[in-house]
Amino acid sequence: MESTYLSDQKYRTFRSSVERAVKNFETSSEWADLISCLTKLNKILQTAMQYDVLPKKVTIAKRLAQCLHPALPSGVHIKALETYHLILKRIGSRGLAQDLFLFTSGLFPLLAHASMTVKPALLGLYENHFVPLGRDLIPCLRGLVLALLSGLEEGSETFERNNALLLDVSKRSDAVLFFGAVWHAILACPHIRLPAVNFLVSQISKQLAPNEQLHLVGEDVNRTIAAISAAFFDENVLVLRSLLDLVLILFPFDQQFPTHSDMNNILASALTVLLRRDMSLNRRFYTWILGTSSSSDDSDVASEQRYFEAYSKQPLISSVFDLLKRTDPNKQEGNARNVKNSLKSFRIVMALLDKLEIGMSLVDAILLESLQSLRVCYSYWAVRETSLGMKSPRSMRRKGGGEGRGGGGGEDVLKTVNLLCGLFESGFVWQFIAERIEKVARAMGHSEGEHFSISITELSSLVEFLLDSLFMRSNDDVSTIHLPTLLTHCLISLCLCCASSCLQDLTAGFQLCSRLLSCCEPSAKPAIAPQSLLDKMKSVCGSQLQQTGDCDLASCSIELAKLCLVSFIESHIDAGGLMCGTGRPSSEHELGVAFDALCRLLIDVSSFPVLNEDHTIPDSPSLSCFASERGWLQSLLSCITSTTSFTVFASATTTILDLAAVGVTYDVSREESHVSSVIIKPLITASDFNKIRSSGLIQTVVERLWCVLESGDLQCKESAANLMAQVCALRPCIEIVESTINDRLTSTSLMERRSSLQTFSYLWELTEHGSVNTLTPSYERPLFVMLENLHCSDTFSRQITTSWLSKLLRLGDMNRLLSPLLQVLLHPSTTRSRVTCTAMSGDWMKSNLLLYVQSYDTHRCRHALECLQSIVTADTHGFVSAASLSVVSQHAGQMGLRNIRSLLMKQEVNIAQSKNNKSTGDSSPVTRNYMETLLSVLLWFMQSYMPASISISSDVEKKALVEDNALIQTLATRICIVIVEQLDSAFASSSSFSFHLPASGGYIRALFTLCEVHEALLSCLAATLQQQLDRCACPEFLWSADSSMALMVEMLKLTFAVLRLEYSQGLSHRVADNAQSVWSVTYSDINGASCWQVLELCPLAQQPPLLTLILHGLSSVESECVMQHFLQFLCNALPLIGVVLPVLVQHVIVRLCTVLRRCSLRQSQLLVTALAHIMQFCLLRSDETATSSHSAKRSFVLDFDSLTGSSPLSSHVIVQPMGDKNEEGGESAAAICLFLLPRTLRSLTSVWKNASEVEHLFITKKLKELIVHLLQLFVASHDNVLLASAARLWSQFASTENNREEETASDEWQLVLLDMLKSIPVCAVYLNLIKQLARKS
């Protein structure tokens, strides 16, 4: 201890010298200064050698360590080593052992960086001062070993000396601890692994057994295993080679050391060398695995196999499993979650399986686990890529897309799957899976059997993953042999475990079989089942399998599916409810899902096509199992009639219906002698289904489905609706369904009837939104019953049906609603042709009428129109909106109904061909919506008559047919009226539906043009008018005299509705372009041919036939009723005429004045009232326009009843002035009235004279009041015109030239005129003037 020398003066002097020398280091700035300082320190240290202690040793050790920095020149290092030598010599071994930490911190790191001139001196220090320490080196053994290993460089001058030094240290210290330090260096310092491993290999004796060299493992086995595992991941191939040489000798598999766990860890790390694809590494690895000497030139294959099976196989399998567990991305963290890291393990597996000596021995153990790990890995990456918006690799593959540019994780996994399976023949993987499924099933069937860690559910998921991932389907053998074989094995397995497996496994198994079947393809030569497979089937089926010859795989699958069905029903379903195979209760949902999957499988298996190479018509298959007490069909039928579970009932019913549908199609093909290259032999033929239907089963099914619709939950109701649609898909069953529903809808019980209406409305909704069929059922008869209830007396029933209809219209479900009606209205029996009439000019309109080519079912058509009327009137706005926005479906859309477009086109073609081969052009039904379709159909019925040449034997039947047709015409007209009125209301109110249409005026013009509304309307109106005026008119067709008047009234109403709609849309506010040149000549001859011409794209108010018909109607003095209706129509329509009002007024006033001079007094009342109304309307329009175009509009009421009696059209005529919309028309019309006032006065004078001669005081008084009322219209604003007109008429009476017919009574006419004028109260002031005029005359 230094304290013992402090009293010695020489020591204190020595200490002071050392302190000064150490202090010099603080001022050193160059390496030369360091050498100078070290030289001074060495001189001091060479003195006072009697002292074995070193003063300031910590500071000195620190300074010396700094002088050994690698960046300093070797001169400084050598001088520092001299200082170390002097110090270590002074303190001796004992002092060094005490202060190892001080002096090794600088010396040990130097060897790795020392130059060749420094290394001998450094090694000398190690040899002379450290090695002699022996076991005292243990505290710094790791550092010393690390230092020596870092300098152990083969081929260098110091290699042998360095190697000997290591051996000397191992011998003098502790060998176990020494080699433990070596392993620690390998683990901690990758840069010294190569020399360290080479040193270890050099210390192994091949003459000694591994258990005799355990000191080489070190004291800590776990650290050694960790070091080996870490070294196997070294990038240096030389390290791996030496390490494999090490484990090959030190850790053979036939030794008890190390433990199995440690050996698995070593092997799992060693497996990574296979990824290097280095032949030398692979040779060393497989030499280790197979237990052969690396020096052996030729090895005994048999002995290698025995060694592998006995010692290395199980550790290798365990190591592979450990690697596969690490591939799960869900369990990885951070950077380890990389697809490349995950797939390395599978590359190792492929390398092992590709090794001939061990591959086939390993495949049974690791292939299944490898594929399962790949599936898990793919699931992770696929979900991740999908969440990032990338396309699924499998979806790209199904679409035929190529590999992604970026090679996503999922795509890389799929590549790996194909590479792995590509190591084997095409059918090996499927056979391997089949064996595994069968083993698992047998284990499940025997509770004491072998236990498997994988379930049928997981195996099913794996097979589906392979089906989606592998490219091997291009191989015909896969889809025609291997997959059908796998399917058969799966069915055998399910039969084995059906009674004992959980429902989840059974569901997965059944679904897997269906998926396999979808991947199979029919073969020209069906694959024959091998005898081994048939033997397995016999062991499962027992005596139930009757083999009559070679069995193909498809037949085997069908038999096994039947057996599965029977076994499942017996094990899991009884007559009263549910139970599982072990007797424990199970969830109805689970049972339903499993049973549904099984039923789907049976349908799919039975529907698998068979190639018909001979192109012959196959015979009908027999169903020997139909009458079998325990047959599959009987078991399936029991699930319909006996089970209380609706899910089971639904699945069983669906299966029966689907199998029956295949049978019906099969029988139809045979009856039609249809030969196909692919046939499907059904399990249930049409005759078998007829037996089932005749047994009342379908009736039972429908009734139960109806009960579920009434009281079941939502899911059951949806299923029931789909089943009901499926029952309707079989044509023989439609009547049963509709009859059952109709019985409920027409029940005598009011409450049941209400409930049934509600149920059917719900069924309708569910069928629309959830039907599994491509064609929805029409429910034609129940639909008509629902429509009949729209206007029933029961308020609640009416509310139900109205609500149903409104919702239906909001959803735009027009196809289902109207298709049954249009099927009736467009039936081929209603085919029509144009009337071919070329008689008088007035008969021209007849060519626009239609004639039926044969008699038709008027009762059905009338009923359909009444239902349509109920729809339109129940929710007019909703109907018009939906019909205008819904296009007629391209397909029939409903079961049992023909294509509406096709029927519509046939009708149009027949009509067009009979009208000078007119092309249908734009009226093609392809572009039609329901508004256009319905309007066309209604107009066809409106203008259609029965031909006079129709062959009906009985006059009574003919009369009834004509009367029914007249009723249909009237009904169609009324529906048109409602539709047109609602169109006007919808556009006027700017309803939401109008915003979906183009400009309203353009839409109306296009609609009317497409449907030929003007042409049909005017022709029908002309026909009815002619029928009223001439009972012998229209000999070409049959018409009803009793119904003709009612039809004419409806026609006038429709005409008024069309006028109002066109006026509200601005179509009547200007003269159409094609009418400009016609109007100037049309009315010069009111009976000319041009007066009957219907102009295209021209509003109805400007159509020449309209004015012609009005004038003919006003002239019908022989029919006062006709005259009255036309007068009423004219008064109502005046505000809607538009810009042609002056022309209309001119011709009407002239015609009225003419008729007034030859009609009866009662007719005169009608005409005078109408004339007053027309003039009042025109004069009021003119006055308001003159006052202000923006003034408030007035309306007045003309009490038509008080003047002429009751009117069938309306009790009052309300006139609304047009204002600034048509100011020119109003002024012109007023001018026409004033211009024609003399003619009017002349006619009124004649009426006044006639009225004065009649003794009937009431008629006389009433008629004169009407005339006075008319003349008062001119007194307020146009009294001068009135007087001028009277004066002109007075002069005409005085002129014999202008009054030749009554020249003897000219003065009498003047007196009548005078009498008429003086009856006007406000004209009394003019009486004197009139008298003076009379005296002068």
Side-chain angles (χ1 to χ4, degrees), residues 214-265:
L214 294 181
H215 63 280
L216 296 175
V217 179
E219 81 284 4
D220 190 348
V221 178
N222 293 332
R223 181 178 60 211
T224 302
I225 301 301
I228 294 175
S229 299
F232 271 120
F233 291 96
D234 199 281
E235 296 294 331
N236 194 338
V237 177
L238 297 177
V239 173
L240 301 180
R241 291 178 183 175
S242 300
L243 191 61
L244 285 173
D245 291 337
L246 174 67
V247 298
L248 176 63
I249 302 173
L250 193 60
F251 300 114
F253 288 95
D254 56 353
Q255 298 296 322
Q256 298 297 323
F257 180 84
T259 63
H260 292 297
S261 175
D262 293 337
M263 201 64 183
N264 289 343
N265 290 333

Side-chain angles (χ1 to χ4, degrees), residues 25 48 144 487 618 630 645-646 705 760 778 897 1104 1145 1190 1321 1330:
F25 282 93
L144 179 59
L487 171 63
R630 295 176 60 81
S645 170
F646 177 74
L705 293 177
F760 181 77
S778 60
L897 299 184
V1145 169
H1190 300 286
I1330 295 174

Side-chain angles (χ1 to χ4, degrees), residues 82-94:
E82 293 177 0
T83 307
Y84 271 110
H85 175 69
L86 293 174
I87 293 173
L88 297 179
K89 183 178 179 182
R90 175 183 293 274
I91 64 176
S93 298
R94 182 179 178 183

Side-chain angles (χ1 to χ4, degrees), residues 290-331:
L290 297 175
T292 56
S293 174
S294 60
S295 61
S296 175
D297 293 335
D298 54 346
S299 58
D300 187 353
V301 177
S303 62
E304 289 178 351
Q305 288 294 327
R306 288 193 298 271
Y307 181 89
F308 177 71
E309 294 290 340
Y311 303 112
S312 57
K313 178 180 179 180
Q314 194 55 47
L316 184 59
I317 293 173
S318 300
S319 300
V320 170
F321 284 177
D322 290 342
L323 286 176
L324 294 177
K325 290 178 181 178
R326 301 172 193 172
T327 62
D328 188 352
N330 298 293
K331 299 179 181 179

